[in-house]
Amino acid sequence: VQLVESGGGLVQAGGSLRLSCTTSGGSARSYAMAWFRQIPGRDREFVASISQNGGSTVYTDSVKGRFTISKDNAKNTVYLQMNSLKPEDTAVFYCTAGWLWATSSVTTKPETYNYWGQGTQVTVSS
């Protein structure tokens, strides 16, 4: 399974971006999916996860109310809508997919996921 992210870029603080992640070689309906982000020199950080069936989501506290994860199984794509962006959101964002223990399960743990994309850079200027 390959994951390809898109939608990153440079935006001013307060602006919005929508990241997309499309699967190939496997259907998005078969996986729970998530977004992580990483700043150079720091560990990869959980951002948001959505269950296989799309009915459950979880967010890290710092993005609650600003970011929304969603899934379009027909398009094999997961999205991360990011609003009210802050300079501290600057990072490389990674999409990931994995099989969890139930179709409604979500997890924040990176070791749980099986496949990772190459990442897309998001830069928020102040």
Side-chain angles (χ1 to χ4, degrees):
V1 176
Q2 291 187 324
L3 307 176
V4 179
E5 302 101 333
S6 61
L10 174 64
V11 64
Q12 289 188 332
S16 299
L17 285 173
R18 188 177 79 158
L19 304 183
S20 300
C21 171
T22 301
T23 68
S24 62
S27 174
R29 69 177 71 249
S30 299
Y31 306 103
M33 299 186 74
W35 291 93
F36 286 75
R37 61 188 178 186
Q38 189 168 26
I39 300 169
R42 297 180 62 176
D43 290 339
R44 198 164 290 189
E45 173 193 27
F46 172 78
V47 176
S49 175
I50 187 165
S51 60
Q52 180 182 340
N53 65 10
S56 302
T57 58
V58 64
Y59 298 89
T60 192
D61 286 346
S62 64
V63 309
K64 285 180 181 177
R66 300 189 298 124
F67 291 10
T68 303
I69 189 170
S70 61
K71 196 165 176 257
D72 187 336
N73 286 332
K75 295 183 178 180
N76 286 323
T77 300
V78 65
Y79 302 98
L80 185 68
Q81 178 66 45
M82 305 186 294
N83 299 327
S84 301
L85 282 161
K86 304 176 181 179
E88 52 263 43
D89 293 317
T90 295
V92 177
F93 281 70
Y94 295 91
C95 173
T96 185
W99 297 290
L100 302 186
W101 44 94
T103 58
S104 60
S105 298
V106 288
T107 181
T108 65
K109 299 178 180 180
E111 63 268 22
T112 309
Y113 293 94
N114 305 97
Y115 305 103
W116 292 82
Q118 293 300 305
T120 186
Q121 176 71 46
V122 171
T123 303
V124 185
S125 63
S126 57

